[in-house]
Amino acid sequence: MKVAVIGAGTMGHGIAQLFAMNGYEVFLVDVNEEVVRTALQKIEKSLDKFVKKQMITGKESVLEKIKTSTNFNDAKDVDLVVEAASEKQEIKKKIFENLDQICKKETILASNTSSIPITKLGNFTKRPEKVIGLHFFNPPQIMKLVEVILGEKTSPETKNKVIEISENLGKTPVTVIDSPAFVTSRLIMIMINEAVQCLYEKIATKEDIDTAMKLGMNHPMGPLELADLVGLDIVLAIVNTMYEGFKDEKYKPSPLLVEKVEKGELGRKTGKGFYDYEK
């Protein structure tokens, strides 16, 4: 089975590695050649860790299964596409429209989106029954969960095939009906947004908010630390998707979250978010 992963960023290269480690031929596609080169370097480093921990016997056989490209046409003969581009509807719209024209009619078009409704993505194509959500978690090579999200027109055959593939990858799939932010993102983003609002209202310091959730709720990471890891721009995009989708004030993003994004303080990837990573 051949797989194309569209987008070679944080999630994309991890998803490509995951498929290759489980015997699939993978085309890793991104319009930016530098992003593709960086992705391959990160995959190599990740595989070195897997070898060191004796989780795989060698990295060369995995790397041989990954081909990189900056041309969407290289996805024309694959059986499954996993889109892992930026969490912006207009970008995904163009990708799904292009894939619908390029890929063979049997190809399943999946999205790793964490918030954008699958039904909308399906409506950008002439094959909505073949469009589905396949939401991995970071890092996808390790995290066991995958959300399988059904659009209104996703066929039972598509659902069953994607569940089978998820299990072949060693994942535990949970099936979710289409809704803004689905289950995991909806729950975690509400918590993060409330934590940001607590900080904005000076109810507690960022350190105490995070410590409260780690020690009181047994979370491995506090919500503000998690926001910095995810990227505050991504957090804001998901919260805005919920706010616009549900038309409910409880999903309105905290002013402090908006302010941070406007300043370009996006978390770990920019060296500063709620915490400072430039030291």
Side-chain angles (χ1 to χ4, degrees), residues 108-156:
I108 294 172
L109 305 181
S111 177
N112 184 59
T113 181
S114 53
S115 63
I116 297 172
I118 298 303
T119 301
K120 279 188 178 181
L121 298 181
N123 288 339
F124 298 144
T125 76
K126 294 177 181 177
R127 61 177 89 190
E129 73 284 356
K130 292 282 187 181
V131 176
I132 195 165
L134 192 55
H135 180 207
F136 293 93
F137 293 80
N138 193 20
Q141 313 93 305
I142 297 171
M143 298 292 282
K144 297 294 289 184
L145 180 67
V146 61
E147 272 185 314
V148 175
I149 305 115
L150 309 181
E152 289 178 5
K153 297 177 182 177
T154 304
S155 70

Side-chain angles (χ1 to χ4, degrees), residues 181-197:
F182 320 124
V183 171
T184 54
S185 294
R186 180 172 173 178
L187 294 176
I188 201 68
M189 292 304 161
I190 289 175
M191 182 187 72
I192 288 174
N193 194 47
E194 281 299 314
V196 177
Q197 188 63 18

Side-chain angles (χ1 to χ4, degrees), residues 177-248:
I177 300 301
D178 201 15
S179 178
F182 320 124
V183 171
T184 54
S185 294
R186 180 172 173 178
L187 294 176
I188 201 68
M189 292 304 161
I190 289 175
M191 182 187 72
I192 288 174
N193 194 47
E194 281 299 314
V196 177
Q197 188 63 18
C198 286
L199 184 62
Y200 179 66
E201 294 173 7
K202 297 182 171 59
I203 291 172
T205 65
K206 58 181 179 287
E207 293 86 0
D208 283 349
I209 291 169
D210 281 342
T211 298
M213 295 305 292
K214 285 187 285 189
L215 300 186
M217 302 297 172
N218 204 28
H219 288 197
M221 184 179 289
L224 300 174
E225 293 173 304
L226 179 58
D228 278 354
L229 177 64
V230 171
L232 303 192
D233 54 335
I234 295 172
V235 171
L236 180 58
I238 297 171
V239 173
N240 274 330
T241 296
M242 295 192 295
Y243 185 45
E244 292 162 8
F246 292 115
K247 311 295 184 190
D248 190 324

